[in-house]
Amino acid sequence: MPRVAAFAIALAALGAYANGLSGPFVFDDFATIVGNDSIRSLGPLSSLLQLPREVPTAGRPFVNATFAFNYAIGGLSVRGYHVANVLIHVLCALLVFGIVRRLMVAPPFSKWFGDCSLEVGFAVGLLWVLHPLNTEAVDYVTQRTESLMALFYLSSVYALLRARAGADRVWSAVAIGTCALGMTCKESMVTAPIAIFLCDCTVSQNSWRIVAQTRWRFYLALCSTWIILALLVGSGARSYTAGFSAGVSSWVYLLNQSVMIVHYLKLAIWPQSLVVNYGLPKTLALWAVTPYVVTVCALLGLTAWASIRRSPTALAGAWFFLTLAPTSSILPIATEVGAERRMYLPLVAVIVLAVSGAIVVWRWAANQAIDRVPTWSGVVAWTGLAAVALSYAAGTRARNLEYASSLILAETNLARWPSSAAHKMLGVELSAAGLHDQAIAQFRDANDYPTGQFHLAIELNSVGRGDEAATHFLRFIEDQRILSGVTGRPMTSEVGTACKELGRLYLSAGRWAEAEGQLQFLLTLTPGDREARELLTEAALQRGIEQASSGHGVDATESFRRATDADPSNAAAQMNLVLALLSFGGNPQEAVDHAQQAVSMRPNDPTALELRGRAFEYDQQWNRAQEDFLKAVELRPNYSLALQGLVRARSHVAAR
């Protein structure tokens, strides 16, 4: 029977998610998979570990390795990634089934559920695997970080239960190993050793002191897996999107989480109007969220009361808050105030309480002893389970269809949970679809989103509204400068793009000095940006030419000098500097040096040779000047400047 139940759970999951296997990559998938060069090869291992900061797989090497396996098998064919996510989800469901079934026969639970442990485990596993709230962790490929972490989390708990039943050493080793692997998947795994310890205390019905004393070696090894997580977190891979340095205070985030936790519970009961982005944390007043705070505190109080009374229901409450705590307490996640995937593990506790509570109430209503439940009640119970399961499956399949398009996801997100982040997300998708006017309208409504001004400027620029785009680019850059100065965080990558685009706009408008300013600032952020150096050289050159034509010789020389400093390989910049030094007065040796560089880049250019000849002439090196003028004339016989220079040089040589 357990195998039949497990097969039924797996089959139900495959049926529920079958219509989502062809969904495209969306949102973060492009950074995680499409643009992730580290997954293009399975080796060396170092390539899987060297990821850009702040991307979804940063500091999560095992997840990145699974994406590398996906790529090795099917490249960027999205179906393979979806299949892997569904299989991980099925394995998690089977572990939920196994954990609940084994818990129900343990002494604290066996009084009520010992005779129906298989049925309880099956009901919980089935409802959990079909629940629409889990779709984000399955349909959204990048969120494999959540489901894979959960797989190892559940494996560790299951191994603990098996270790208590026998083969202690083997299953204890499995628990430690899977816990270590989970630490390489996502930071939420941090609570796993505590969850395992609480399960151990509950099942054994011993105090925490006795459990710690009798199994201290096991728990010491289990807790040592935190070292792995500490090393990964200590690398700073995600320090600017999550953590106390993320720019959001713990108090503000905690108040936001009171709202989100209540919302999560509502979705657990009635999974409608699901979204992929809940926006950024908001500054909230305590009085405004008092009902939510009271609700959460009441649930915490009930959990504490159950724990004091040594009620087995305390384990479900502890599981809920423990698995939710890393993302929904005081540790801020600046980029997302909430996410439905965060309920992936906490949902297990909600469903366990619902199923076990329903059984207790049903038996009480039937007014029968546990071993003499009326036969008709079983039919009603299974019918009720089937009805709920089918409704969940229908909801999951409907949500899968929304993942068929990132535009649909963005539209439903804005309709169901309006925020500046939702406006920005929809604007990006509308722009990609070529609906530029609609995209501009969305970006205007996303002005208070950190990159809202940037996206608006990009869109305005793409439709030829450069002057308006420049205004928004400049506002975005200044806002980021101020934010960086206040928080100490480095500026986002969009700042570099904004500086470059603004530099181009200033160049096209002939605003050379302003173009130089933006491009020089960009090079302080990304010194190796070759394109920025070329643009800076062009701006300095054009500024120098304008200054030279208006008679500002010294200023022109300085502009040309900045141009050569920005891009020494630019022959035009070298030649203009030489010309300025010759025309407005300068160091003869400097003129010769730059003329030499110009000729080295253009050895057969008569203009460069003639200019070097004049530099030698300026430095009174008449023989060398004569040679260059002669070469220039040979390359261009009617080159008057070279002919005149040749006459001058020969007369000086002859006079000697």
Side-chain angles (χ1 to χ4, degrees):
M1 285 300 290
R3 292 183 180 180
V4 174
F7 179 77
I9 290 171
L11 190 63
L14 295 176
Y17 283 97
N19 68 332
L21 298 180
S22 58
F25 292 124
V26 297
F27 310 128
D28 286 345
D29 291 343
F30 291 96
T32 304
I33 299 164
V34 179
N36 185 357
D37 292 336
S38 70
I39 69 170
R40 299 297 187 264
S41 172
L42 291 177
L45 179 61
S46 58
S47 66
L48 298 175
L49 301 176
Q50 294 174 356
L51 291 164
R53 292 165 59 96
E54 312 304 338
V55 298
T57 49
R60 299 163 179 178
F62 191 87
V63 181
N64 198 58
T66 66
F67 287 135
F69 276 106
N70 264 127
Y71 186 85
I73 294 170
L76 292 177
S77 174
V78 71
R79 182 176 290 271
Y81 295 87
H82 281 303
V83 168
N85 275 23
V86 172
L87 291 178
I88 292 169
H89 185 52
V90 169
L91 290 174
C92 286
L94 296 180
L95 285 167
V96 168
F97 164 60
I99 290 169
V100 173
R101 187 169 70 91
R102 288 182 175 276
L103 280 174
M104 292 304 106
V105 296
F109 305 97
S110 59
K111 176 182 177 181
W112 291 97
F113 311 108
D115 63 330
C116 59
S117 61
L118 178 64
E119 290 81 356
V120 174
F122 173 73
V124 172
L126 180 67
L127 296 180
W128 183 83
V129 82
L130 295 177
H131 203 292
L133 191 54
N134 284 333
T135 50
E136 182 180 339
V138 183
D139 288 329
Y140 194 166
V141 176
T142 292
Q143 304 316 328
R144 185 181 298 180
T145 54
E146 189 76 36
S147 61
L148 199 58
M149 177 277 296
L151 177 65
F152 291 124
Y153 201 118
L154 294 167
S155 297
S156 298
V157 175
Y158 180 77
L160 178 276
L161 296 177
R162 292 297 300 267
R164 293 206 60 84
D168 182 75
R169 290 186 178 180
V170 174
W171 284 104
S172 293
V174 171
I176 295 166
T178 52
C179 191
L181 287 173
M183 299 294 177
T184 67
C185 293
K186 195 171 184 179
E187 297 80 355
S188 301
M189 189 72 186
V190 66
T191 63
I194 303 172
I196 293 169
F197 181 72
L198 292 178
C199 286
D200 199 352
C201 293
T202 301
V203 171
S204 65
Q205 293 187 297
N206 289 322
S207 69
W208 66 268
R209 287 189 179 87
I210 294 174
V211 172
Q213 289 172 356
T214 56
R215 295 172 60 80
W216 68 269
R217 290 183 180 85
F218 168 72
Y219 285 106
L220 180 63
L222 198 66
C223 291
S224 69
T225 61
W226 281 332
I227 297 173
I228 299 171
L229 184 60
L231 292 173
L232 292 171
V233 172
S235 68
R238 308 174 60 78
S239 58
Y240 298 116
T241 55
F244 298 112
S245 61
V248 176
S249 76
S250 296
W251 176 247
V252 167
Y253 191 73
L254 184 62
L255 292 180
N256 277 268
Q257 292 315 297
S258 66
V259 178
M260 291 310 306
I261 290 172
V262 173
H263 181 68
Y264 293 153
L265 288 170
K266 176 185 173 183
L267 291 179
I269 298 168
W270 191 253
Q272 296 291 318
S273 299
L274 302 177
V275 300
V276 294
N277 193 324
Y278 283 91
L280 306 176
K282 300 176 182 178
T283 300
L284 300 172
L286 179 58
W287 62 266
V289 295
T290 298
Y292 302 99
V293 172
V294 169
T295 301
V296 174
C297 289
L299 293 173
L300 282 167
L302 286 172
T303 300
W305 178 79
S307 179
I308 293 171
R309 295 279 304 240
R310 301 183 69 85
S311 169
T313 57
L315 181 60
W319 177 277
F320 178 83
F321 286 108
L322 196 61
T323 53
L324 201 55
T327 57
S328 304
S329 55
I330 63 171
L331 187 67
I333 299 176
T335 53
E336 286 185 302
V337 68
E340 288 162 6
R341 62 183 176 274
R342 297 176 188 172
M343 276 292 288
Y344 196 70
L345 281 174
L347 184 61
V348 175
V350 177
I351 294 178
V352 166
L353 285 173
V355 170
S356 59
I359 292 174
V360 170
V361 170
W362 186 259
R363 283 176 162 169
W364 174 82
N367 194 26
Q368 295 290 325
I370 294 177
D371 58 347
R372 289 191 293 109
V373 178
T375 55
W376 55 265
S377 67
V379 175
V380 174
W382 285 109
T383 302
L385 175 63
V388 176
L390 287 172
S391 68
Y392 281 179
T396 291
R397 289 181 65 83
R399 183 58 172 163
N400 295 341
L401 295 178
E402 293 177 352
Y403 276 88
S405 163
S406 53
L407 179 57
I408 293 175
L409 281 174
E411 288 173 337
T412 57
N413 202 116
L414 181 60
R416 296 168 181 173
W417 196 275
S419 68
S420 60
H423 283 292
K424 172 259 176 182
M425 184 167 63
L426 180 55
V428 170
E429 298 307 321
L430 290 169
S431 175
L435 303 172
H436 300 293
D437 290 339
Q438 295 179 44
I440 289 171
Q442 293 299 326
F443 289 138
R444 290 193 191 281
D445 289 332
N447 270 346
D448 59 342
Y449 190 77
T451 59
Q453 295 279 350
F454 168 78
H455 289 289
L456 176 58
I458 289 288
E459 194 64 16
L460 289 167
N461 194 28
S462 70
V463 296
R465 296 161 66 175
D467 290 342
E468 191 178 355
T471 300
H472 290 286
F473 274 134
L474 190 59
R475 191 179 304 168
F476 169 70
I477 294 167
E478 290 304 314
D479 287 347
Q480 288 294 311
R481 279 180 165 178
I482 293 170
L483 182 63
S484 179
V486 171
T487 63
R489 296 169 54 186
M491 282 177 264
T492 63
S493 59
E494 288 87 355
V495 173
T497 303
C499 288
K500 193 177 294 184
E501 293 302 320
L502 187 55
R504 286 196 181 97
L505 287 171
Y506 285 151
L507 277 170
S508 63
R511 298 162 66 175
W512 319 122
E514 291 164 290
E516 271 197 85
Q518 293 300 327
L519 294 165
Q520 284 173 340
F521 175 63
L522 170 57
L523 287 171
T524 64
L525 302 176
T526 54
D529 193 325
R530 178 67 184 172
E531 186 180 11
R533 290 193 174 277
E534 291 173 352
L535 291 171
L536 177 58
T537 301
E538 178 66 19
L541 270 173
Q542 295 299 329
R543 187 179 182 186
I545 292 169
E546 186 177 88
Q547 291 166 332
S549 63
S550 60
H552 295 86
V554 175
D555 292 337
T557 302
E558 285 303 314
S559 293
F560 291 137
R561 190 174 283 119
R562 287 197 302 275
T564 59
D565 289 342
D567 187 5
S569 65
N570 190 303
Q574 300 287 353
M575 292 167 68
N576 274 280
L577 177 55
V578 174
L579 189 60
L581 291 168
L582 297 176
S583 302
F584 304 113
N587 187 303
Q589 186 58 51
E590 184 182 6
V592 169
D593 291 342
H594 288 285
Q596 295 273 35
Q597 291 187 55
V599 172
S600 69
M601 288 179 274
R602 297 182 179 178
N604 296 315
D605 184 346
T607 303
L609 289 165
E610 185 273 335
L611 199 57
R612 188 173 69 175
R614 278 200 277 165
F616 283 136
E617 183 180 24
Y618 186 48
D619 199 31
Q620 298 185 5
Q621 298 185 49
W622 306 109
N623 287 325
R624 301 184 71 178
Q626 177 179 265
E627 292 174 3
D628 276 345
F629 289 137
L630 182 59
K631 290 178 183 177
V633 170
E634 289 173 350
L635 291 168
R636 190 188 301 170
N638 296 323
Y639 191 4
S640 60
L641 288 177
L643 288 168
Q644 293 169 15
L646 181 59
V647 171
R648 290 194 307 271
R650 282 178 172 174
S651 64
H652 278 88
V653 171
R656 289 184 176 184

